Structure formats: structure tokens, C-alpha cells
Amino acid sequence: MDPPSEATYYSLLNLVARADSFAPALESSILLNPSPSVGYPLRAGDHDTLIGFVKPQLIPYMESHPSVFTVSVSGVRVNASLTTSEARTAAVEAVLREWRDATLENGLKKVEDKQMFLCLKGWRNERYCVHGSRSEGVIMQLERAAVGLLGVRAYGCHLNGYTRTPEGQVKMWIAKRSDTKQTYPGMLDNLVGGGLATTTNPLENIIKECGEEAGLDIAAASKVASTGVLCFFLDDSERGWVPDTEWVYDLELPSSFDPQPVDGEVQAFHLWDLETVKEHLHKGEFMNESALVVIDFLIRFGLVTAMNEPDYIEIVARMHRSLPQPGPRFGSK
């Protein structure tokens, strides 16, 4: 996503639409009438559960790997001969590494396909779980950088860190991302945020990220309050098709708190009143996910209401989009 120009003004609905940009009509077309003109659903083996969406341009590359992908008029499947999560993970990742290397070395079938594979340049050696139905469990694990290439559901956690002045005014801590970040370099972000890797759950993950990104100790970070989850479907020229789910947390901090960049992913922190936060929102300076998390915060704290925001209903609905792929289930049941 290119940085906005100073003259650009984004309404809150503009910001939501920028994140939730995959057209529902396209989603329906792929699921009901897959074709070379719109795309194909992605499933695994004999499972009927949808796990992703495949662009038409990717099909010739998948057909070059018949031991891993089976392509038909009804869609694409991870080959049925790969009968375990571990086997699917290894086989798909080997193909992804080949595509990544071909992209870096300009060895693709068509030069114009490079844009489709750009997401793989941000390879992280970090995986997301690809979930099936309740009975199926985890279908496979997928390199985080590749979720947009295969239209697989992505996951993350974000924390709104805020404080109150003695007069009761709420101020919000905002992070400015490092200029060397693989995604959204130099843009504004929540105090803490990060992808949800396969090895952790949302609460453990946000506590870990609190220490890594803002220098919060475990005792302080453990006081985070879960406030819900946001879902949207991004269509981005570099990141690809990304159905996204973000767990949201709040943490009220003492006025003495001074966040410190720890892992190099943040170049600065700002403490702003909520009106100032809104000004930077309207300038389009926040990364997509973080903009939605901030809007959700402003709604919950009463700054954005049905009485002062004409697009209120659509904003709330589009930040809680129903995604067709199953998500994770945490807890004892």
C-alpha cells in the first residue's frame, strides 16, 4: 500500500473499504461458478471444506505440480495422496519456495506474473494454521507470506494501549512502523500487534508481543482486556487475496508508562488525544488492519456513533465480515 498524499482525505467508510476490498460478488462467483475468468476455490484432498481462493493466473503454475495440486473445472485441491497435515505442509511449502526463488531470480513463466508472487519476497519462516471443519482440525500449516497467494485465512492480534489524564481525557499510544518493515513500512500502527503463529493462542501472543514491541513486562501485559474480533477480506496488489481475522485487546496504562522499541519493528511512539488520532486516520496514515482496530476503539469509547457518523451501520458490518473458511477454536470444547 502506497503512503497517502497529504491532500488525501479518507472517510471512516473509505478506510474500512480499503481493508475490506475483496468484492462479495467476486467471492460468490468463485464459490458458485468457478472459471478461468474469476478464480477457483481451494480445498484439500477429499475434504469439502473451503480453505482458500486461487487466482486464474496461478493455475498454470499449480498444474506444473500435479503431485501437489489437482486442478479441475470445479476448483483446486491439495492432492489427495497427501493424507496428513504434515505431508500437505511440506509439499505445499516446497512449491512455494520454488515460486519464491523463481520470483527473485526472474524465472517465472511470464514476466507479468511477478506481481502475483511479490508477497513471497516477504518470506518469514513463520506459519499460520489452515483450519478445516470442527472434525477435521488443522488441514495444514502455511508460510505466513503465502496466505494472500492462496487466499487462505490470516490471523493477527492488536492492542490498543491508552491512558487517562487527571481530567479524564483518553489518550492513545500510536506506533510508527519501521521503514524497513516488510509490510506497511513507515505507517502508523497500534501500540502492539502481530500475526498469530501456529505455536500460540491469541492471549499468549498479544502478551508476548507487548514485551517484544513496547517493552511491557508480563505482569502489566497480563492485564489486557479482550474486546472482540474483527474480520475483513483484503484484495491488495502486493499481499494478494487475504481473508483476515484480528483479535482485539485494550490495555489502560499509567500516565508514567513510556513504551520502548525492543525488536526494531517500531521507530517511534506517539501519545495522542483521540481527536488527533482521528485526524491521522482521515489522512490515511494507518496500515489497513490498525485503522479498523482504531475505528473499533473510537466506536466503543463513544467518539463514533450512529448520531455523528452517517455510514455507521455499514462500517460496523464490514468490520465483522463473515468469512467462508473455518477459523480456529480455542478453549476446552
Side-chain angles (χ1 to χ4, degrees), residues 83 117 285:
T83 58
F117 292 102
E285 296 176 357

Side-chain angles (χ1 to χ4, degrees), residues 106-254:
N106 295 317
L108 301 173
K109 290 181 174 64
K110 298 179 180 179
V111 174
E112 58 266 30
D113 289 341
K114 185 174 182 178
Q115 183 72 28
M116 178 172 60
F117 292 102
L118 279 181
C119 57
L120 298 181
K121 294 177 67 176
W123 196 279
R124 297 169 181 260
N125 290 313
E126 181 180 322
R127 295 170 176 165
Y128 287 156
C129 285
V130 181
H131 297 272
S133 66
R134 294 186 180 190
S135 61
E136 292 165 347
V138 176
I139 296 291
M140 57 186 262
Q141 296 180 15
L142 184 70
E143 158 61 34
R144 178 176 172 180
V147 293
L149 183 63
L150 300 183
V152 169
R153 197 164 176 171
Y155 303 99
C157 301
H158 283 253
L159 173 76
N160 298 297
Y162 68 99
T163 187
R164 296 180 191 268
T165 67
E167 296 75 30
Q169 181 188 33
V170 174
K171 292 189 173 183
M172 198 173 193
W173 280 105
I174 300 298
K176 184 175 176 61
R177 293 164 69 85
S178 167
D179 288 331
T180 60
K181 284 284 289 181
Q182 294 163 321
T183 54
Y184 306 114
M187 298 195 74
L188 298 181
D189 203 345
N190 307 116
L191 175 63
V192 172
L196 183 65
T198 60
T199 55
T200 188
N201 64 47
L203 181 58
E204 292 172 344
N205 188 56
I206 201 65
I207 291 174
K208 173 183 71 70
E209 295 287 352
C210 280
E212 293 177 354
E213 294 190 0
L216 271 164
D217 60 40
I218 293 178
S222 297
K223 297 178 182 178
V224 298
S226 174
T227 65
V229 66
L230 303 179
C231 296
F232 53 97
F233 199 153
L234 176 70
D235 182 354
D236 183 79
S237 60
E238 289 193 16
R239 294 180 64 190
W241 290 350
V242 186
D244 204 342
T245 299
E246 302 288 336
W247 282 267
V248 181
Y249 295 86
D250 286 353
L251 180 60
E252 184 169 357
L253 296 158

Side-chain angles (χ1 to χ4, degrees), residues 27 37 55 65 100 112 137 160 179 205 270 297:
E27 179 184 316
S37 62
K55 292 183 177 182
H65 296 277
R100 177 199 62 184
E112 58 266 30
N160 298 297
D179 288 331
N205 188 56
H270 305 286
F297 183 90

Side-chain angles (χ1 to χ4, degrees), residues 54 57-65 68-69 76 91-109 113-114 116-121 123 142 146 149-150:
V54 178
Q57 306 95 295
L58 189 60
I59 295 300
Y61 295 91
M62 292 179 141
E63 290 176 330
S64 298
H65 296 277
V68 181
F69 298 108
V76 181
V92 172
E93 186 158 307
V95 174
L96 292 171
R97 288 181 181 273
E98 178 182 316
W99 292 341
R100 177 199 62 184
D101 295 344
T103 303
L104 295 174
E105 298 165 8
N106 295 317
L108 301 173
K109 290 181 174 64
D113 289 341
K114 185 174 182 178
M116 178 172 60
F117 292 102
L118 279 181
C119 57
L120 298 181
K121 294 177 67 176
W123 196 279
L142 184 70
L149 183 63
L150 300 183

